[in-house]
Amino acid sequence: MARYPELQGKVALITGAGRHAGLGEGIARRLLEEGCKVVLTDIGKGRGAEMPVTAVGTDEEMAQVAAALAAATGGECVAMALDVLEEAQVEAVVAATVARFGRLDILVNNAGIGYLMKPLLEMDAGEWDAVLGVNLRGAFLCSKHAARQMVAQGDGRIVNIASQAAKSPFPHAAAYCASKHGLVGLTRVAALELGAHGITVNAVCPNHVTTGLGAWQNEYFAEKTGRSVEQYLADMRARIPLGRPGLAADTAAATAFLCSDDAVYVTGEALNVSGGEEVH
């Protein structure tokens, strides 16, 4: 049942949402349940060694996710291919969204690379550039073009999916942590500049969520720390006050709140959704 009736009929664009059981899929599901019309995007095909086809939402998978969400929620959900590194594509997808639905009310910058994990001394410049490109440049480009439409409308909501890594560092994640720290900085500046236009800009900072990517991270860090995956997860649960890792639904709930009228006076925030693991 919808919690925020004011979201009925709002138009939301979500990046990096073309994978089954991914964080973007969870956010799309929640906004559809709230009555939003959703455009979900993903890159559609691989792009070089840093973005192999096995790590991205393909055109086929993205179409499947959109169809399944529409069937499950009864809402309107369409898929559009978008490489967030390409400004012309970003501008075109925003224009296509407005052409189809007449407006754009919500942007969720969810596209990100979280699978290029290496020690600082082993990461090459191409890997660094890929992570910073998708996680930060992509959010900048999408925010820029979505905000232009929102300024014309006189309101809008931008939600950036950051991470606990935007608050606290962890090994093998120099590029990832740098990009998420940067995303919070972008959030704050955008909030300052866009507030006069009735646009709020906030970030959500979840802790670990075991999506498909999250499962790979579990295996990677368990192996690097000499533990079984089961022990790694048990240790994770032990350090989280609420006793479990995050769910996609937790991040989706925070996103829906930030898009609702209950958050009309909330902007420039980096909201922890971590079960108490992150406290600043």
Side-chain angles (χ1 to χ4, degrees), residues 164-277:
Q164 184 180 17
K167 304 289 187 76
S168 297
F170 59 96
H172 294 210
Y176 187 76
C177 289
S179 71
K180 295 302 185 178
H181 276 69
L183 186 55
V184 171
L186 174 64
T187 298
R188 290 169 174 163
V189 173
L192 287 175
E193 294 189 7
L194 299 176
H197 301 284
I199 301 167
T200 66
V201 188
N202 292 286
V204 178
C205 299
N207 63 346
H208 178 79
V209 180
T210 300
T211 57
L213 170 61
W216 176 87
Q217 291 173 339
N218 293 340
E219 294 173 1
Y220 177 87
F221 286 107
E223 189 272 329
K224 293 299 180 184
T225 56
R227 288 174 283 180
S228 67
V229 172
E230 291 73 20
Q231 186 60 53
Y232 177 78
L233 290 172
D235 292 342
M236 182 188 298
R237 290 191 294 270
R239 69 173 182 261
I240 299 172
L242 291 184
R244 65 166 175 83
L247 304 173
D250 298 320
T251 299
T255 300
F257 163 70
L258 291 170
C259 294
S260 76
D261 286 352
D262 285 351
V264 70
Y265 200 58
V266 178
T267 196
E269 294 294 332
L271 176 63
N272 294 325
V273 182
S274 69
E277 185 179 11

Side-chain angles (χ1 to χ4, degrees), residues 90-141:
V90 172
E91 189 171 13
V93 166
V94 169
T97 300
V98 175
R100 175 153 186 162
F101 295 113
R103 58 187 297 112
L104 174 58
D105 302 290
I106 297 164
L107 168 68
V108 181
N109 282 309
N110 175 71
I113 291 179
Y115 51 83
L116 291 177
M117 299 289 181
K118 284 186 177 180
L120 178 66
L121 299 183
E122 297 177 15
M123 174 163 275
D124 65 43
E127 293 165 331
W128 174 275
D129 289 345
V131 176
L132 270 291
V134 174
N135 295 11
L136 194 51
R137 172 188 165 96
F140 153 66
L141 291 175

